[in-house]
Amino acid sequence: VCIHRVRSCSSIRFIKSKYVCVFDKSALKFSHQQRLFRTSAVSCGQIVQFKLSDIGEGITEVTVKEWYIKEGDSVSQFDSICEVQSDKASVTITSRYDGVIRKLHYSIDDIAFVGKPLVDIEIDASKGVSPEEDVVETPPMSHEEHTHQEIKGHKTLATPAVRRLAMENNIKLSEIVGTGKDNRILKEDILNYLAKQTGAILPPSPKAEIVPPPRKTETVPAAPRDKAQKIPVPVSRPIAFSGKDKTEPVTGFQKAMVKTMSAALKIPHFGYCDEIDLTQLVQLREELKPLAELRGVKLSFMPFFIKAASLGLLQYPILNASLDENCQNVTYKASHNIGVAMDTEQGLIVPNVKNVQVCSVFDIAVELNRLQSLGSAGQLGTSDLTGGTFTLSNIGTIGGTYAKAVILPPEVAIGALGKIQVLPRFNGKGEVFKAQIMNVSWSADHRIIDGATMARFSNLWKSYLENPASMLLDLK
């Protein structure tokens, strides 16, 4: 027997042989009775520890929510391994290698730490794969670690040309929502993303066909809606009294709320309230709503609120700023990334619409539809939940007229919108008419924003909504 190398694995000795010959096992004696010499094809495999890479945003630990594989399964590159949840977003980790899963280091709901192994993967060493993580039973290697993960719960599918285009523009594919088959990222998706970041105007994609509005003769009158107030029906759930206290750890988005609200208490809040007459806006939305539905988009009031806020921020940029921890410098943000508070099963989340200053009302509606769909499915990515510069909270969709909103650091202002009510009001002639009234409550950082500035911004925002036609002069 010509022995090339002896390798010890657990209680069995493996031999990598150049030349395999027949030999008598009884002639070989060991101090341990279970150790035998034999040739094995497993010896050509190499086990690597796939570690949880840095997700960013200062995240050091995540909760394992779901495994997509089990021990013994074969995986390929970019196959989903597991879904983890941080205090900011849900992230799906994908494989870096082609191989076989040999060990799962965590169970469901376990806390996984950045830099620690998630799974052990056996790869074929004969393929010359250079592992990024440390190899089991071999000396550690110096190498550069890359994050192989996809946010929003899908694999990253893209051609090499699209990947090169993203790399040349320093774009993370995990931040792009693919419009191709199986959510494949296309060249147009990269270009549209660049347009939103830079404000460039690109030629429309041939796929984005806009359906012309129907002729007046073809218009079908909308069914009369019941204007009667809907009484909320309580959800009947079985109530079980165990008679014992129950203690649960603070995790996920609830943990993020604890951190954010604790930091918000350090900010001296200034409040300002007003009421808005949305009568003309309600009529305008009723006219535009069927046109938006023909394009596959649900048009709510929020896109108008967001766009009017962006137009106001152009005049009062101090409300779209941030103050450093030492209160020495104020940073005026170039982009209007306006956040929208959403109530989901996972808790309160605040995704934001990027670059509202260069978006139309329809563009904002499209993005809101996407964020609401991902939020309901619990698949919002880190890029959707970070980078906000100003926030609107529409508490009126649930109920309530006024709310004292809490600023989300490092932002300096937030608005809480109440429900729209039909109330009597007087016109200029002293006549009573039926008006659609909504109340708004603003909160601002009183360290850098005074009451006069907040009031002037609110008046401008109010004027855009009470006279929607005036927005046309400033729309971009």
Side-chain angles (χ1 to χ4, degrees), residues 190-373:
I190 302 292
L191 297 178
N192 290 333
Y193 181 84
L194 284 173
K196 288 185 177 182
Q197 296 296 323
T198 60
I201 301 177
L202 298 178
S205 172
K207 292 185 179 180
E209 181 179 358
I210 299 178
V211 180
R215 299 177 182 177
K216 293 184 179 180
T217 57
E218 299 176 357
T219 304
V220 180
R225 298 194 309 174
D226 186 12
K227 298 294 184 178
Q229 184 178 3
K230 296 182 179 180
I231 301 176
V233 180
V235 180
S236 58
R237 296 179 181 176
I239 301 176
F241 293 97
S242 61
K244 297 181 180 180
D245 295 343
K246 184 179 179 181
T247 302
E248 293 181 349
V250 178
T251 59
F253 295 124
Q254 191 177 18
K255 190 173 183 179
M257 187 186 300
V258 171
K259 295 180 180 178
T260 305
M261 295 299 100
S262 297
L265 286 178
K266 302 177 182 178
I267 300 175
H269 283 55
F270 164 78
Y272 178 85
C273 301
D274 200 357
E275 70 172 31
I276 319 296
D277 183 0
L278 299 180
T279 304
Q280 294 187 33
L281 181 61
V282 170
Q283 297 175 356
L284 177 63
R285 175 178 172 267
E286 289 299 324
E287 296 176 3
L288 298 179
K289 188 176 178 180
L291 301 181
E293 291 177 352
L294 288 176
R295 303 186 188 185
V297 176
K298 180 181 178 181
L299 181 63
S300 63
F301 289 104
M302 186 56 73
F304 297 96
F305 299 154
I306 291 176
K307 188 59 185 180
S310 177
L311 295 176
L313 294 176
L314 292 174
Q315 301 295 326
Y316 301 95
I318 187 64
L319 298 174
N320 196 60
S322 63
L323 183 65
D324 63 2
E325 294 182 0
N326 298 325
C327 300
Q328 299 296 322
N329 300 290
V330 177
T331 302
Y332 294 85
K333 304 293 185 178
S335 299
H336 296 172
N337 300 337
I338 298 182
V340 180
M342 292 184 181
D343 179 41
T344 67
E345 294 182 357
Q346 293 80 24
L348 176 66
I349 56 177
V350 189
N352 58 83
V353 181
K354 300 288 194 298
N355 297 304
V356 178
Q357 76 278 4
V358 294
C359 294
S360 65
V361 173
F362 182 77
D363 292 335
I364 299 171
V366 172
E367 181 66 3
L368 278 179
N369 282 203
R370 183 186 73 86
L371 294 175
Q372 289 169 347
S373 298

Side-chain angles (χ1 to χ4, degrees), residues 26-47:
S26 62
L28 301 173
K29 296 182 180 180
F30 297 89
S31 59
H32 198 292
Q33 295 179 357
Q34 293 182 353
R35 292 189 175 181
L36 299 175
F37 280 100
R38 65 189 178 105
T39 59
S40 174
V42 181
S43 61
C44 65
Q46 194 175 37
I47 297 180

Side-chain angles (χ1 to χ4, degrees), residues 97-123:
Y97 310 108
D98 299 331
V100 179
I101 302 297
R102 290 305 179 195
K103 181 180 179 182
L104 305 181
H105 287 269
Y106 299 98
S107 300
I108 301 296
D109 292 330
D110 282 355
I111 302 297
F113 297 92
V114 171
K116 299 297 183 180
L118 276 176
V119 296
D120 289 352
I121 304 179
E122 180 181 336
I123 63 175

